[in-house]
Amino acid sequence: MNQPDSPQVIEQIAAYLHISPDQIECIPIRHGTFERNNVWRLNAGERSFILKQHLIAEPVGESTFTPFQVESAILLRLHQARCRVPELYWWSDAASYLLMEWCGDTTLDDLAQKTPTGELNPILQNTVRAFCQLEEGFAKTAHALNPYIYPLDYSVFLQDMLQTLLDQGRKTLDYLAWMRGEPIPADQAAGLDAIWTRMSDCLHRATPTLGTLDYNARNIVVNGDTPTFIDFGSIGWDWSERRLVQSLNSLGANRTNGNFVSLLEQEVVKEYAGQVSEHREDCSETEITAQVDYHQLLFYLSIIHRLLQSTAQPEEAESKATLQAWGDPKARFQRALALIINSHLSEDPDTKRLRELTATFRDASN
């Protein structure tokens, strides 16, 4: 499907724009090696828009609303709250199409893969501000958005999911220790367990916030230095720091020579913590930066776990998908390990010790 499959939609858009249908051109938008067949740049004379069709026409799981209904409602509310999301101009309930403000077609993931991080500082500062505005926008409109929240018992789901990540991360550190040819000594393991308990307790105590459930660097488009957050077909509860980490780490999936790129640095995290702490009476900037650091560490430990699982069971469907999207697993492993060791996002002594310990595993294997 290279063009919208409904000529009536083009006719309706033309009528909305007061032009003839033959003045409209739809160009599919590509990201990486995949073509997104449900998103187009719609050119109408000198104006450009984004045209998106939701391909899932039924509610997902136990949800009451379709992704199209969720996204259209969320965009209207968030735009009214002055968040950096596309303005919604026109929509078709019958065909699940959205006509939105053109905000560019270069994603933060694109920029991370081809631009030195130091050159992205203005964009990253703007992205953090826009991220915080988005979090605040969700908080202010939470009551109105409540019907659209994906139905889960989040108090159980989030704690279970976090504990799974923590357990996987701890086991992955044990595996990494074998890079030096021996397990972690008992006294060192006891110290590691104590650190892991403190980190776990801190993350489990943190309060989740309402926001999108589809957060990654491909869902931030950049036009000049201005970021815009996109894709709001599903919303729910999660931790802001986890969203930040996954939004500002580029996976470079389905790209030739793609690899992991972290856009998080201490100054970026400080900017985030400074803004967020204004609205959290029970959490200091120091605690917030530590939580970002913890989530960054868990993120890349989970990636290493996924790589190890994929190479150990290459015939599994999920492993095939991972290896196809990420390419050379050795290069990916080395990059993820380097990011664990070199990402100093806070002054937290526990993450510093974990990174130092991981570095000894790597260095002993060289």
Side-chain angles (χ1 to χ4, degrees):
M1 186 208 317
N2 292 321
Q3 294 294 310
D5 60 2
S6 176
Q8 293 83 3
V9 165
I10 299 302
E11 293 172 0
Q12 292 166 8
I13 293 173
Y16 168 77
L17 297 174
H18 304 292
I19 60 176
S20 64
D22 58 11
Q23 292 178 276
I24 290 178
E25 176 189 26
C26 291
I27 304 171
I29 290 180
R30 295 178 63 89
H31 288 296
T33 58
F34 284 174
E35 182 172 302
R36 299 185 65 181
N37 290 326
N38 66 320
V39 183
W40 299 266
R41 177 174 183 164
L42 186 146
N43 294 325
E46 296 182 356
R47 301 181 66 187
S48 291
F49 304 86
I50 283 288
L51 179 63
K52 176 178 179 179
Q53 182 188 23
H54 277 274
L55 302 179
I56 300 174
E58 300 295 329
V60 176
E62 301 299 318
S63 179
T64 306
F65 299 96
T66 67
F68 161 79
Q69 291 170 325
V70 173
E71 180 158 37
S72 55
I74 301 308
L75 286 175
L76 290 170
R77 291 286 183 177
L78 292 179
H79 190 265
Q80 289 172 357
R82 305 181 71 83
C83 297
R84 277 305 310 158
V85 300
E87 184 174 358
L88 179 58
Y89 296 122
W90 173 94
W91 59 92
S92 167
D93 293 305
S96 299
Y97 278 90
L98 302 170
L99 184 71
M100 297 173 283
E101 171 190 7
W102 173 255
C103 301
D105 59 359
T106 300
T107 69
L108 193 59
D109 187 75
D110 296 329
L111 291 175
Q113 292 295 318
K114 64 185 182 184
T115 309
T117 304
E119 296 178 16
L120 296 176
N121 284 338
I123 292 172
L124 294 177
Q125 294 293 332
N126 290 341
T127 300
V128 169
R129 294 188 191 103
F131 179 91
C132 293
Q133 289 170 353
L134 188 64
E135 290 282 314
E136 189 176 350
F138 268 107
K140 287 180 176 178
T141 58
H143 180 73
L145 299 181
N146 188 64
Y148 300 99
I149 295 173
Y150 188 80
L152 284 174
D153 185 346
Y154 285 96
S155 62
V156 174
F157 172 78
L158 288 176
Q159 295 298 320
D160 286 351
M161 178 269 294
L162 177 59
Q163 192 58 51
T164 297
L165 289 173
L166 287 163
D167 291 344
Q168 284 182 355
R170 181 63 184 84
K171 290 177 182 177
T172 301
L173 285 172
D174 282 338
Y175 171 83
L176 293 176
W178 280 99
M179 294 173 63
R180 61 185 181 186
E182 59 185 16
I184 301 175
D187 58 337
Q188 205 171 54
L192 177 55
D193 287 339
I195 290 174
W196 211 253
T197 297
R198 288 193 294 271
M199 184 175 76
S200 300
D201 290 345
C202 176
L203 291 177
H204 276 296
R205 287 195 309 268
T207 303
T209 62
L210 182 62
T212 177
L213 293 179
D214 190 5
Y215 38 85
N216 59 75
R218 283 194 172 181
N219 283 344
I220 304 172
V221 293
V222 180
N223 197 1
D225 288 344
T226 302
T228 301
F229 287 77
I230 62 172
D231 282 1
F232 294 93
S234 183
I235 66 168
W237 297 89
D238 207 328
W239 292 281
S240 299
E241 290 70 36
R242 187 166 180 262
R243 288 196 194 95
L244 181 74
V245 165
Q246 296 196 28
S247 296
L248 293 186
N249 275 279
S250 167
L251 297 182
N254 302 302
R255 294 177 183 273
T256 303
N257 299 322
N259 212 328
F260 307 121
V261 178
S262 177
L263 299 174
L264 284 171
E265 296 180 346
Q266 272 202 12
E267 288 305 312
V268 174
V269 177
K270 285 180 181 178
E271 171 78 18
Y272 165 77
Q275 294 192 44
V276 170
S277 62
E278 295 177 5
H279 308 286
R280 293 190 195 173
E281 297 179 357
D282 59 342
C283 206
S284 68
E285 289 187 37
T286 299
E287 291 170 314
I288 293 168
T289 57
Q291 288 173 20
V292 174
D293 215 355
Y294 295 158
H295 279 290
Q296 175 90 343
L297 181 68
L298 284 182
F299 180 67
Y300 279 105
L301 285 173
S302 71
I303 281 176
I304 288 179
H305 178 270
R306 186 171 169 185
L307 283 166
L308 295 174
Q309 195 169 50
S310 297
T311 53
Q313 302 172 325
E315 297 307 313
E316 296 290 330
E318 186 174 348
S319 299
K320 289 180 179 179
T322 295
L323 295 173
Q324 181 179 353
W326 288 356
D328 182 3
K330 184 176 181 180
R332 290 281 184 166
F333 175 87
Q334 291 172 342
R335 179 61 176 162
L337 188 60
L339 286 169
I340 287 175
I341 294 168
N342 299 323
S343 294
H344 304 290
L345 304 184
S346 74
E347 300 300 329
D348 180 71
D350 284 340
T351 52
K352 180 181 179 181
R353 177 60 186 137
L354 288 170
R355 291 191 165 97
E356 290 173 347
L357 186 61
T358 306
T360 67
F361 302 157
R362 181 193 62 183
D363 296 343
S365 68
N366 292 335

